[in-house]
Structures are given as structure tokens and as C-alpha cells.
Amino acid sequence: MNESYWILSSEGQRFKKLEEDLEIDTLIIGGGIVGVTTAYLLAKKGIQTAIVDANKIGYGSSGRNTGKITSQHGIIYSKISEKYNLESAKLYYEGNNRAINLIDEIVRENNIDCNFERISSYIFTENENYLQELKDEYDTCKKIGVESVYYDNLDIPFNVKGAIEFVNQAQFNPKKYIDSLLNICIDLGVKVYENTPIVNYEKDDKYELKTKEQKSINALNVVLASHFPFYDGLNLYFSKEKADRSYLVCGEYNSKIPRGMYLNVDESGITFKTYEEGNKKLIIAGGGDHKVGQCKDEGEIYPKLEEKFKEKFNVEKFDYRWSAQDYISFDNVPYIGYINKNEDNIYVATGFCKWGMSNGTLAAMIIRDLICYRESKYEKLFNPSRKKNLLTTEFFIENINVVMNYIEGKIQIEDEKLPIIKGEGKPIKIKGKRYGAYRDYDDNIYILDITCTHLGCELKFNSAEKTWDCPCHASRFDYKGNVIEGPALRNLKLYGKGKNDIDPKLI
């Protein structure tokens, strides 16, 4: 899998996996922006806290995004106002703005070197059909008090027909920030364990969780900060959000581009921003978004992006390329709060709609307030058990899409020949049974049962990242069968080792 510029620029320290049973006040599952910020805020309140991560701290979506910290999330405030009300749109903006300010305060108070800077953010359109939507968004922004400006054009290499600027937004190196904040957490007494996936859960007086190696963790509070919750609590998160993959390229540019962060709200979804670190003047640009497991040839995405942006920004070479996974709620509002209506000591944060740096920090603030004070002014808006986003047109379309991909995967006709080209992966049939085969660059063949261990959908090969991706609920596995993205908990089995164990952990 391709590594991001952020991950390559900040290795961070490594931590051992949990090797003995643990008792703790609050267990945080997931070491990204939500998990580390929540641990910091709770530790500052004197609450004994531990973080466990299935992989490495900051190596998930928190280390693979654009590095934007902004309350400008595309065309969103007019949509929230229309679906809920103007006060809800104002609350969403206020919460995300507070999140930006909190990151600013943490950076300054702790002297964190993460290239944090205040900078403007822009959304724009090249299509006149989007102008009215853009103007409606601007009108809503002015009503709720957003410091914003409308433009008829911008001095960028696109044919801009309209744009909105949010002033005083921010950007940073997210991996450097998380690594530094984690060190502060450790000084505050937070325990940290990597390579410690959680696979089971029981509730008695406390929560008892089991790691993959059957170590027990007992906790009064549990925070599911793993991007997608491993435990569903019968709140059906897999049916209330969809997962997209986004692709980014990064290189040094030689043209004159106004400093800022830019997002095209047309179908293309092009995003780009300028970023400076040391002597490097970098352009980070992306697009090619698609639903996980539902792209015919991901391998073409990076070359097309590089071809498009080389000319636009006068880039000689793109030195970095990476992709990220994002969960998107159907009403554009994340799920943050209690996992369900019946359990008041287990918390979830998911569905950030591609804006995890601000929404993730806000999630930490909300969860801190719920644990410490049993209330938050934002809990109603972000309530994971809200019903208004269910039974909508998009809800039905997305879930019908899941069913169709489940059926399609079961009836596909596969080739019986193994991959010939190094780096190639494809479904094959052996004795009438569907498997996935991959030939690595050392000429080794890996053959796996590619029925997803979450709910049994058939996986598809991602030629850009060399992974097996689920088109139904977005679980992802490396070519050796290891889980790299949930909701799946169990690895794929190699050929000859039996059938995969399907375990959705709904209850």
C-alpha cells in the first residue's frame, strides 16, 4: 500500500502490543485524531486512559488525508439547514470552528512542530449548473455568522465560475501533530498499545474486551475511535453510511498559485492545496473518488491525476501518492456520541464525510463532555441514534447497491488461470470455489478465500493499492489476507486452510 507524505515525514515511536490483562477507567480503540485527542482531553481531567490500535498510531486515515483543518466542508450548511434547521447548521459550524481553535491552542501551548498555519479555504465551481447551489450555500453561511467571501472567479488554473472563501482556517502535518500529541499523552499517564486488535466484547458491571490474542481489558468506559466501529450495538452503522476512497498525489510545484486550500464542488471533486515545509514548496492534489470496491481500474487513477496536475501546476515529478478511506453519513452529519440508546458508557465517532481533522477533534470534545459531564451542547445534532437520516432516498439507494454487489459477487464467472504479471491480482476459481490470487514482485503467489469476514460479500482487487476491498461495507485486506480496514475483524484464510469465519459483531 502506498504511504502518504505525512507518514513518511514522521515515523513516531513504536509501541508494544498488549501482552497482559489490563484494567482501566477508559479504553480508547483507535489511535488516530479522535483517539489521541480524546485521550489527551480525558488525561487532562485526571481520567486513567489507554489507547489500543490494531495497527500503528496515526497510520489510518488520520495519516493519509490532505492535512486540511477547516469548517468548510463543501456545500453542507445549506443542506443541514434544509434537512434540520438553521440552528443545526450554526451548531455544526460552531463545533468545527471550536475544533480548529482547540488544535491551534494545543499546538501553541505545547510547542508542537507540525507546520500548523492559518490559511484560507475555498470551494469553487467550473459549472454554471452549480452556481445557484453555491450562492445558496453562501447565503446560509452569512446567516449563521461564517466569516466568508463570495467571488465570481479565482486566480487559479481552473475556469472558475463562482467561489466561496472561508477565512482563518488552518492546515498542518497531521502525522507530526498526532505523534507529538501522543507523547504529551504518555507524559500524562496514558497507556498505548499497537498491533492490538479488539475482536470481542461483553458487558457486566464493566466492559470486558478481548484482544486477538485473548488478553482481557476491563474498562468503565469504551470509546470506539477506529474510523468504523468494530461493535455495532444493533445500531446498524454499516447501513447508515457509505465508504469512499480518495486518491492524492504530492510534488514540488513551480507555478504561481495563491496560498490556500481548494475544493471543486462539481462532479470531478478535484481538491488541491499548497503546503510548505523546510525548503519544499509542495502541491497536494487529488480526486478520482469512488465507492470502495466499486471501481473498474483503480490503477489508472494515479496516472490520470498526475497527468492533469502536472500541466496545471508545473510539477516536474510527483514523488508521493496515497489514498484514504472515508465513511459518509447520508445527512452529511457524523455519528458522535453513545453507541445506541441503551448503553451509556460506550461511545462512537464515525461518518466524518471526508473532514476528519475538524470533525474528529470535535468528536473528542463531545465524548470528553459526555464522559465527564454527561452532556454536550452538540449531542443532539450528532446523535448516532437519530432517525431523520434513515429511510431516505439515499439510504435505500445505497443499501440496494449493497445487495446488488453481494449478488453480483456470488455469480461472477472467474478465470481459472493464475495471475501472470507481477503485482497483478484477480478472482479465480479452483474446483468450483471462488478465490483471490495475487502475484507479488518477488514472483510469490498468494491465494485467499475472498469472501469478506464481515457479512460475506465477495471482495474485489484494488489494483492501485494491491488490496482486496469489499464493495458492500468497505472492509479491506492486504494481499496476504490481513485486515487493514474494518468493519471486518477476522483475516482472510489462505487456500487450503478452510472457509473464512464470518463475524459481523452486531451484538
Side-chain angles (χ1 to χ4, degrees), residues 80-102:
I80 294 175
S81 179
E82 182 179 354
K83 188 168 187 64
Y84 295 105
N85 51 51
L86 196 63
E87 182 60 29
S88 294
K90 186 175 181 179
L91 265 180
Y92 185 95
Y93 169 69
E94 177 193 301
N96 275 275
N97 213 41
R98 282 186 62 197
I100 300 170
N101 291 335
L102 176 63

Side-chain angles (χ1 to χ4, degrees), residues 58-73:
Y59 271 65
S61 292
S62 292
R64 301 177 189 279
N65 55 76
T66 59
K68 296 179 181 180
I69 323 166
T70 176
S71 55
Q72 187 182 56
H73 298 168

Side-chain angles (χ1 to χ4, degrees), residues 106-175:
I106 290 172
V107 169
R108 284 187 287 104
E109 287 175 7
N110 297 283
N111 273 331
I112 294 177
D113 178 15
C114 63
N115 301 90
F116 178 91
E117 66 172 324
R118 291 286 187 165
I119 195 169
S120 285
S121 176
Y122 301 83
I123 56 173
F124 68 93
T125 182
E126 298 179 89
N127 187 334
E128 290 184 355
N129 294 329
Y130 283 82
L131 276 178
Q132 191 56 53
E133 276 189 71
L134 204 64
K135 290 175 180 177
D136 291 344
E137 178 74 0
Y138 179 67
D139 288 343
T140 304
C141 288
K142 299 308 289 183
K143 288 176 184 176
I144 63 177
V146 179
E147 193 177 354
S148 56
V149 183
Y150 187 87
Y151 297 95
D152 292 321
N153 54 65
L154 293 173
D155 186 21
I156 58 175
F158 292 87
N159 185 24
V160 174
K161 301 293 178 63
I164 302 172
E165 176 189 16
F166 276 27
V167 302
N168 206 31
Q169 303 301 289
Q171 67 172 340
F172 66 169
N173 182 319
K175 185 65 166 49

Side-chain angles (χ1 to χ4, degrees), residues 298-330:
E298 296 91 341
E300 292 297 314
I301 295 176
Y302 288 126
K304 287 180 179 178
L305 288 175
E306 291 177 356
E307 182 181 0
K308 182 181 186 70
F309 292 127
K310 264 187 179 181
E311 183 179 346
K312 292 281 188 185
F313 302 121
N314 191 14
V315 177
E316 186 176 325
K317 180 187 176 186
F318 286 99
D319 297 305
Y320 310 92
R321 49 165 66 176
W322 69 92
S323 66
Q325 186 147 310
D326 297 281
Y327 288 89
I328 302 167
S329 69
F330 298 151

Side-chain angles (χ1 to χ4, degrees), residues 452-497:
C452 183
T453 59
H454 175 230
L455 283 175
C457 293
E458 298 300 320
L459 305 175
K460 297 184 179 180
F461 188 70
N462 182 324
S463 57
E465 300 293 346
K466 313 304 181 189
T467 57
W468 292 101
D469 299 355
C470 180
C472 295
H473 303 115
S475 296
R476 299 177 65 240
F477 306 80
D478 67 21
Y479 62 80
K480 295 181 180 179
N482 301 306
V483 176
I484 54 176
E485 295 268 4
L489 298 174
R490 300 179 185 276
N491 294 337
L492 306 177
K493 290 186 177 180
L494 289 165
Y495 174 69
K497 299 295 183 180

